Amino acid sequence: MSLGEFDVSDLSQAEEGRRRIEWAAREMPVLKQINERFLREQPLLSVRIGACLHVTTETANLIGVLTNGGAEVELCASNPLSTQDSVAAAIVKDLGVSVFARKGEGNEIYYQHIHRIIDARPQITMDDGADLVTTLHEQRRDLLSDVIGGTEETTTGLVRLRAMARDGVLHYPIIAVNDAMTK
């Protein structure tokens, strides 16, 4: 597998990240069932997903399911302090996903990474804190027509997005992950 673009701390940490991801997968039986179905059905074939999430073992397992379902995924960190560098390396090496995440990255790099995700012209956004969606709406409006929907994982992000919706400036539907029964 050829590696796409990425910005992670150290690809040599991928083996450690792989072990951690596999360990976490044992505690995610529902995701395993969805993965088996996605491998067969490919419901996300060629859908571009831009994700700004915590780069952790749980997220890695989710990203694996999405790619197994046919999606083209790019990932950046929603919180540089929670980024697990070994996991970021494993996502790049094992899944071939472009990852832009480094533990402790500063604000300037954080937003550069968000713009890298937007550069991929996502059709679906997955956000944790609404920085990806807000940046897309405020600075990259020319790409909004590509987006058909998204998800938001935090209460804080939902407050921001609901305010945007009230003001009539939110241009696509977003599912509140916290409101899902399976959360």
Side-chain angles (χ1 to χ4, degrees):
M1 161 189 327
S2 106
L3 300 180
E5 294 185 38
F6 61 90
D7 183 15
V8 299
S9 290
D10 184 358
L11 279 182
S12 71
Q13 294 179 357
E15 180 60 37
E16 175 192 342
R18 183 178 310 112
R19 285 191 303 273
R20 296 179 69 203
I21 292 166
E22 290 169 355
W23 180 84
R26 291 183 287 196
E27 301 300 323
M28 304 174 86
V30 173
L31 204 55
K32 181 180 178 182
Q33 290 177 6
I34 294 169
N35 188 52
E36 291 166 0
R37 179 176 160 213
F38 274 27
L39 280 166
R40 283 190 316 273
E41 297 176 12
Q42 297 284 288
L44 300 172
L45 193 60
S46 299
V47 173
R48 294 182 312 276
I49 299 175
C52 182
L53 303 170
H54 291 273
V55 181
T56 62
T57 56
E58 295 83 2
T59 297
N61 281 288
L62 173 60
I63 298 300
V65 170
L66 297 173
T67 60
N68 285 339
E72 299 168 12
V73 181
E74 301 222 1
L75 171 66
C76 71
S78 65
N79 182 338
L81 298 177
S82 68
T83 296
Q84 299 169 351
D85 287 330
S86 64
V87 170
I91 295 170
V92 171
K93 284 191 87 170
D94 297 346
L95 300 178
V97 169
S98 293
V99 177
F100 304 96
R102 293 172 167 267
K103 184 171 183 72
E105 67 192 21
N107 205 43
E108 182 178 338
I109 298 297
Y110 173 76
Y111 280 100
Q112 285 176 9
H113 287 168
I114 286 176
H115 281 281
R116 295 295 297 267
I117 300 307
I118 296 170
D119 288 344
R121 303 182 72 98
Q123 295 166 291
I124 296 173
T125 60
M126 298 176 72
D127 211 346
D128 188 328
D131 285 344
L132 175 62
V133 173
T134 303
T135 302
L136 182 60
H137 278 76
E138 291 177 355
Q139 297 176 31
R140 306 292 297 274
R141 297 181 60 76
D142 58 312
L143 300 180
L144 282 170
S145 62
D146 289 346
V147 185
I148 58 174
T151 63
E152 170 55 46
E153 300 209 9
T154 66
T155 302
T156 302
L158 289 174
V159 168
R160 293 171 72 185
L161 297 175
R162 286 184 177 129
M164 290 173 68
R166 252 190 331 274
D167 294 342
V169 296
L170 185 62
H171 287 273
Y172 59 91
I174 299 189
I175 295 169
V177 175
N178 283 336
D179 293 346
M181 296 294 284
T182 56
K183 171 99 181 199

